[in-house]
Amino acid sequence: VWGLSKQELGYLAFKMGDLHTGKKFIGETTSFARDHGVLIGVAEGGVRLAEIALHEGQSGEAVRAATEARDAAEKCGCTPFTLVHAKTELAAIAVENAMREAAQLPEAEKALKAAEDDAQKFRIKRFTAETQLLRAKLVPAHEFEKRYNLTREAFETLSTMESERRGDAEVAVG
């Protein structure tokens, strides 16, 4: 319970703009999980640390944390949600890299496909929508209709989610 609550406090601190506290709390809980073989804690903390690193523009650190999270989620077989979350974070990192450097586009496509496939396989609508929004970011600016259609598909996916109708869903919008 300590790790889960401290990790959540860290994530909330990050979302409120306190990056230092967010990284500190999540880093502590992730290190504890790693040191004690709690793979679900490594997976969940790693995804959050990757998100913070990406926010800070630290692509290399984001990839490292998200890869560790994905590997831990695969190894523990804990929850499909955590695995798909890690794969979606890897896709987000790859998309950001591809937007800066066109040569990274094949890697972004590969990461997106991996996240999309698992989001659909496990029927996790949040990540299905998020990957659709990430894919829309890769569409050239002049292809308005294609971007519109991908964004509309994400909207339609989100509109079927109970949490979205309640107003408490959390999905990254591009």
Side-chain angles (χ1 to χ4, degrees):
V1 174
W2 164 83
L4 181 60
S5 60
K6 189 163 188 175
Q7 191 177 100
E8 187 63 19
L9 285 172
Y11 187 66
L12 290 170
F14 160 63
K15 289 304 230 180
M16 292 174 13
D18 186 353
L19 297 175
H20 174 75
T21 300
K23 280 176 29 175
K24 180 178 184 290
F25 284 11
I26 297 168
E28 287 172 1
T29 62
T30 306
S31 290
F32 180 88
R34 190 181 300 112
D35 293 346
H36 293 87
V38 182
L39 293 175
I40 187 66
V42 174
E44 291 178 352
V47 170
R48 298 301 190 195
L49 290 172
E51 187 176 344
I52 293 171
L54 183 60
H55 176 79
E56 293 180 313
Q58 298 176 354
S59 181
E61 178 57 24
V63 168
R64 188 208 61 74
T67 300
E68 180 183 33
R70 182 205 57 211
D71 293 349
E74 286 176 341
K75 187 173 180 181
C76 78
C78 308
T79 68
F81 185 90
T82 304
L83 174 62
V84 179
H85 193 178
K87 287 184 174 186
T88 302
E89 195 62 34
L90 282 166
I93 297 161
V95 166
E96 290 297 320
N97 289 340
M99 290 174 66
R100 283 192 300 277
E101 186 181 332
Q104 297 296 316
L105 186 58
E107 183 61 32
E109 291 289 348
K110 180 180 171 186
L112 267 171
K113 175 133 179 54
E116 287 169 333
D117 287 352
D118 276 1
Q120 290 173 4
K121 174 182 173 184
F122 295 114
R123 297 181 184 150
I124 304 174
K125 292 179 181 181
R126 170 194 170 177
F127 297 121
T128 297
E130 194 164 334
T131 57
Q132 290 164 328
L133 291 170
L134 287 168
R135 187 165 293 291
K137 289 174 100 172
L138 292 177
V139 175
H142 66 278
E143 293 185 36
F144 297 114
E145 187 172 345
K146 187 173 183 180
R147 279 189 82 155
Y148 175 84
N149 288 335
L150 285 166
T151 304
R152 183 182 46 73
E153 288 173 19
F155 170 77
E156 289 171 0
T157 299
L158 290 170
S159 70
T160 67
M161 292 173 56
E162 183 64 31
S163 60
E164 182 66 20
R165 290 192 296 268
R166 282 193 317 262
D168 60 359
E170 181 185 328
V171 177
V173 179

